[in-house]
Amino acid sequence: MSLSDEEARKSAGQKKKKGDKKNVMLKLDSSVILSTCTACSMYLSAKSVLVHIQAEILSGLAFHPTLLKQLWILISHLGSSSGRVKVILDALTNQMSESFESYTNSLTSVLALFCDAAVMLFMILDDVEMYEDQKPFSLDDLIGLSDMLNQLVFKIIYYDVIDWKHADTDPLFNAAHSLLQLLHERDSRRSFAPPNHWIIKDIKPAQFISSIDKGNTTAQFLLQKMPQIIAHKDRVILFRKLVMSEKESLGLTAAARTISNVTYVTISRRRLLEDGYSQLAGISAHALKGVIRVKFVNYQGLDEAGIDQDGVFKEFLEETVKRVFDPALNLFRVTDEQKLYPSPISSLQDNHLKLFEFVGRILGKALYEGIVIDVPFAPFFLTQVLNNMKNSMYSYLDELPSLDPALYKNLSYVKHYDGDIEDLDLTFSYDEDFMGQLKNYELKPGGRAISVTNENRISYVHYMARFKMRTQIKEQTQAFIRGFSSIVNYDWLRMFSTPEAQKLISGDTVEIDLSDLRRHTQYFGGFHNNHRVIIWLWDILEKDFSETERSQFLKFITSCSKPPLLGFAQLDPPFSIRCVEVADDQDTGDTIGSILKGFFNIRKNEPAGRLPTSSTCFNLLKLPNYSKKRILKDKLRYSILNNTGFELS
């Protein structure tokens, strides 16, 4: 089956026009269309009847040198992206009105078979083949294909062409949706599509979210199957609404808060992780979702002043996260890109699985409360936390570069080796040094005795990737998921891809919006928006600091270098700046005298020798009342670059 542009023109009864290659359209009753529909219908029938060799049938089609490309040329000649969608929807509507049978001699049979075979192909294609070689599809092809599928799958459900209750059993919907989601996942990991490519323009986000709130099952099904059709920000808003709704139902909102749903813990700074684990690991998920009040005991064994109003618990979360993700503890390792994942030898740590479960609960609590934590997870690990690897189309090989680029390169060499692969003397096993001893692991039962051949090498590279990314850390990941899912509903997390979930945990990757930060800043100690020092501060941040320095400033104040996803209005507690006259260990808070002095720029002594400090638990910047802008700039830059610590005042 081969279809050139010239043949397409003849079949469509059109003359060749210069520069009009994209506009060639095929007539639906043309011989090319009819013969292709008949052939595709036969293959679909064979696939459904010969279930035991279904994979072999699809593999043969997927890896044919030209078939998928030719089918895409035919489909693309049905019109523009929206035009193709209309043609296919019309064909599907006519077919559904006649009978709910196989797609005999229908245009839908072409698309169904194309999608089934393309899924098989894209599961095997690596990034070099897809992005560099661009075979069999160019990146422009992928943009057009994904746009068509995105519109088609949405409209099939939204316009009730297929009842959503029957969609999961419909061959065309399943095939088109599977290919759509596979392409979206590849684009999420390494972009090929332009910004906002996946968003359906016909949807009004506020109305769509409102319909979900009201129990509209069609909207709920669409959100479950293709959440990318509304913007990430709108899904974050929905996520926060779902959390708040659950808090209301559990009686955990501020209005419903009582002494019975507040948990009090005392944490020694010398034993922060141990005390946190012993007091919080055993409490119920309902209690952990509620209010946790923390009293710290300092290094001298003395109670620190006061029980917090959420701020100290934020500090406890931050300090706990620092300890548990420190590679020296051996619970987590870092990739070459400094991304965190469970250590395969974490069992050297006592009760390591209980600790992983505790860490999952703590991270879940932070996410539940909207507290951003600067924790960069390795994408492959976060994918597993989101349970996305349960998808039958998930490929461990695709994400292997995020763990071990060298191994990925070696496996790619094996995959594309031109000679006899048996010359490399490989088996389905893996040798690894463990505490000075060489251990051999079988990648599959009997793997030591199974040689890698040209016929099974694709299977070998996938088994190897699965072993490194899943098998070695399976117990640790499952323990983390148990803790995490006890706090955060997994149905909510299905709205997000892996990179989006990382933003949900750690904040946005966009540049810091200083005007938004300033609008949501509170002032104390005599400072105000038009105070000389405050004007200097914002001017320095905007004109003198680089974007990297602005990120370091934000981390210095809030402990996270990235802004909240929904802007600084969501920062809790709000960002605050307080005028201080004395060092932290002498600071007793604002008084009428200190406020008046700050307001009127009255200073007992020039504070040029003192540095700005912060209390990240309260998102608070403590700023001396400097007399010169240059001094403020130098002292602030020194503080944030050296990340001078703080002590709760």
Side-chain angles (χ1 to χ4, degrees):
M1 187 190 305
S2 179
L3 180 69
S4 68
D5 290 321
E6 189 63 37
E7 289 173 316
R9 268 185 218 92
K10 290 177 181 177
S11 181
Q14 296 176 335
K15 294 181 180 179
K16 182 177 179 180
K17 295 181 181 179
K18 187 176 181 180
D20 197 31
K21 179 178 179 180
K22 295 288 185 182
N23 296 323
V24 177
M25 290 183 59
L26 284 170
K27 292 181 179 179
L28 298 183
D29 60 354
S30 68
S31 59
V32 172
I33 290 284
L34 294 177
S35 60
T36 304
C37 288
T38 300
C40 290
S41 295
M42 291 173 59
Y43 271 105
L44 283 176
S45 297
K47 182 174 76 75
S48 62
V49 173
L50 305 174
V51 179
H52 59 291
I53 59 169
Q54 187 178 91
E56 286 81 354
I57 293 173
L58 288 177
S59 294
L61 297 173
F63 300 111
H64 185 280
T66 61
L67 178 63
L68 282 180
K69 180 67 174 181
Q70 293 300 320
L71 285 178
W72 171 241
I73 290 174
L74 183 145
I75 293 169
S76 64
H77 280 86
L78 296 176
S80 64
S81 184
S82 57
R84 294 170 217 148
V85 171
K86 185 179 184 306
V87 169
I88 295 166
L89 285 175
D90 288 344
L92 186 57
T93 301
N94 293 335
Q95 172 191 308
M96 296 297 288
S97 65
E98 295 172 3
S99 64
F100 191 72
E101 297 175 355
S102 61
Y103 299 121
T104 305
N105 295 334
S106 166
L107 187 62
T108 53
S109 64
V110 178
L111 183 61
L113 188 68
F114 170 82
C115 290
D116 276 337
V119 165
M120 180 74 72
L121 174 69
F122 281 108
M123 287 172 61
I124 301 300
L125 283 183
D126 56 41
D127 281 359
V128 172
E129 293 167 316
M130 181 168 169
Y131 292 91
E132 274 78 46
D133 297 343
Q134 297 188 33
K135 293 180 180 178
F137 301 108
S138 70
L139 295 185
D140 284 342
D141 287 336
L142 297 182
I143 292 171
L145 172 59
S146 57
D147 181 51
M148 180 194 74
L149 292 173
N150 205 42
Q151 292 186 52
L152 177 66
V153 173
F154 167 72
K155 290 181 177 180
I156 283 175
I157 300 301
Y158 190 76
Y159 294 114
D160 205 26
V161 179
I162 298 175
D163 190 321
W164 69 267
K165 300 185 190 72
H166 302 140
D168 285 333
T169 60
D170 183 85
L172 176 62
F173 180 85
N174 267 330
H177 178 261
S178 295
L179 180 55
L180 171 66
Q181 291 309 100
L182 195 154
L183 290 173
H184 178 253
E185 288 166 11
R186 295 292 287 257
D187 181 65
S188 296
R189 194 175 66 254
R190 181 176 173 182
S191 178
F192 62 78
N196 301 323
H197 173 74
W198 304 96
I199 297 172
I200 298 293
K201 308 300 187 294
D202 296 339
I203 293 179
K204 295 181 179 179
Q207 292 181 7
F208 188 75
I209 292 174
S210 176
S211 66
I212 290 172
D213 289 340
K214 293 174 182 177
N216 184 306
T217 52
T218 298
Q220 290 172 346
F221 182 80
L222 283 169
L223 184 68
Q224 176 193 353
K225 288 292 185 178
M226 46 189 314
Q228 69 271 13
I229 60 176
I230 61 173
H232 179 226
K233 180 180 178 180
D234 295 312
R235 282 176 276 138
V236 175
I237 292 172
L238 178 58
F239 176 81
R240 297 312 320 167
K241 287 183 68 173
L242 291 169
V243 171
M244 184 54 64
S245 178
E246 181 178 273
K247 284 187 173 185
E248 290 173 354
S249 68
L250 297 176
L252 299 177
T253 59
R257 191 173 295 169
T258 64
I259 192 70
S260 61
N261 56 31
V262 177
T263 300
Y264 295 89
V265 295
T266 300
I267 305 293
S268 168
R269 289 194 181 273
R270 288 187 179 276
R271 294 175 43 83
L272 187 140
L273 180 57
E274 295 87 342
D275 285 356
Y277 174 76
S278 65
Q279 295 181 61
L280 294 177
I283 69 173
S284 67
H286 181 277
L288 193 54
K289 289 179 181 181
V291 178
I292 309 295
R293 293 288 185 227
V294 176
K295 178 186 280 291
F296 275 120
V297 176
N298 67 20
Y299 288 100
Q300 288 72 42
L302 302 175
D303 289 352
E304 295 185 3
I307 288 183
D308 75 292
Q309 298 295 313
D310 297 333
V312 181
F313 179 68
K314 177 175 180 284
E315 182 194 350
F316 165 72
L317 277 179
E318 294 163 355
E319 292 301 312
T320 299
V321 164
K322 286 180 184 176
R323 306 264 180 113
V324 297
F325 290 115
D326 184 348
L329 191 61
N330 198 39
L331 282 182
F332 286 84
R333 285 182 177 176
V334 292
T335 66
D336 291 344
E337 297 178 341
Q338 300 302 298
K339 307 292 186 180
L340 292 156
Y341 69 99
S343 169
I345 58 172
S346 63
S347 58
L348 297 175
Q349 178 73 241
D350 291 340
N351 297 320
H352 72 122
L353 296 182
K354 290 290 185 182
L355 283 171
F356 273 108
E357 186 170 349
F358 173 67
V359 174
R361 282 162 65 91
I362 290 297
L363 259 293
K365 172 66 173 176
L367 185 57
Y368 195 76
E369 300 298 342
I371 299 172
V372 289
I373 302 291
D374 214 351
V375 178
F377 285 117
F380 78 91
F381 171 61
L382 193 52
T383 296
Q384 295 182 45
V385 171
L386 295 174
N387 263 355
N388 286 344
M389 79 293 178
K390 285 192 172 181
N391 188 325
S392 61
M393 298 180 296
Y394 178 73
S395 170
Y396 290 96
L397 186 63
D398 288 344
E399 293 197 295
L400 182 60
S402 70
L403 170 64
D404 193 335
L407 178 61
Y408 178 78
K409 183 177 180 180
N410 290 338
L411 291 180
S412 295
Y413 175 79
V414 170
K415 179 181 176 181
H416 298 288
Y417 187 67
D418 287 335
D420 186 351
I421 203 71
E422 292 189 65
D423 293 342
L424 302 180
D425 197 26
L426 299 171
T427 64
F428 278 72
S429 62
Y430 176 69
D431 293 327
E432 186 173 55
D433 181 274
F434 180 78
M435 306 293 290
Q437 294 184 333
L438 192 66
K439 292 192 68 173
N440 180 266
Y441 302 91
E442 290 191 328
L443 304 181
K444 61 188 295 187
R448 293 186 189 91
I450 302 175
S451 297
V452 178
T453 65
N454 287 356
E455 288 71 32
N456 65 18
R457 60 176 161 184
I458 300 297
S459 177
Y460 166 76
V461 298
H462 283 273
Y463 268 109
M464 178 65 81
R466 177 184 173 84
F467 173 79
K468 292 290 291 184
M469 299 173 61
R470 173 65 173 167
T471 306
Q472 284 194 313
I473 59 170
K474 182 178 180 180
E475 290 184 340
Q476 296 92 320
T477 302
Q478 288 176 338
F480 184 95
I481 290 173
R482 276 196 303 274
F484 192 73
S485 61
S486 69
I487 307 300
V488 181
N489 188 324
Y490 257 68
D491 288 337
W492 305 342
L493 293 176
R494 291 193 180 98
M495 294 189 291
F496 304 102
S497 66
T498 297
E500 290 171 340
Q502 182 66 67
K503 290 181 183 180
L504 201 63
I505 293 168
S506 300
D508 211 343
T509 53
V510 298
E511 291 188 358
I512 295 168
D513 186 342
L514 289 175
S515 60
D516 180 48
L517 179 59
R518 187 170 188 175
R519 276 195 305 272
H520 297 99
T521 297
Q522 298 179 356
Y523 301 98
F524 301 96
F527 278 158
H528 52 85
N529 190 49
N530 294 315
H531 191 285
R532 179 180 63 182
V533 173
I534 297 303
I535 292 173
W536 289 344
L537 172 67
W538 293 114
D539 196 59
I540 289 166
L541 289 172
E542 181 179 359
K543 297 178 181 178
D544 297 323
F545 276 22
S546 66
E547 185 60 33
T548 299
E549 287 174 320
R550 287 192 282 270
S551 295
Q552 291 169 329
F553 170 78
L554 189 61
K555 187 176 180 67
F556 177 66
I557 308 302
T558 69
S559 80
C560 187
S561 60
K562 303 181 186 70
L565 282 174
L566 300 179
F568 287 103
Q570 301 297 312
L571 198 61
D572 186 26
F575 176 57
S576 305
I577 304 175
R578 185 156 72 87
C579 179
V580 293
E581 288 190 305
V582 294
D584 278 0
D585 58 355
Q586 299 173 313
D587 187 8
T588 58
D590 288 343
T591 64
I592 294 176
S594 68
I595 292 173
L596 290 174
K597 289 176 182 177
F599 188 86
F600 292 111
N601 294 315
I602 300 172
R603 295 181 297 273
K604 287 190 295 187
N605 298 299
E606 170 59 52
R610 290 192 15 243
L611 294 169
T613 58
S614 66
S615 290
T616 60
C617 56
F618 294 111
N619 299 322
L620 172 66
L621 172 63
K622 300 176 182 180
L623 199 60
N625 194 352
Y626 294 114
S627 61
K628 295 180 181 179
K629 181 180 179 181
R630 176 186 55 78
I631 296 174
L632 169 60
K633 181 173 70 173
D634 293 343
K635 297 296 182 183
L636 183 63
R637 179 172 274 141
Y638 181 86
S639 289
I640 67 171
L641 292 180
N642 289 276
N643 201 12
T644 54
F646 68 94
E647 181 177 333
L648 183 64
S649 298

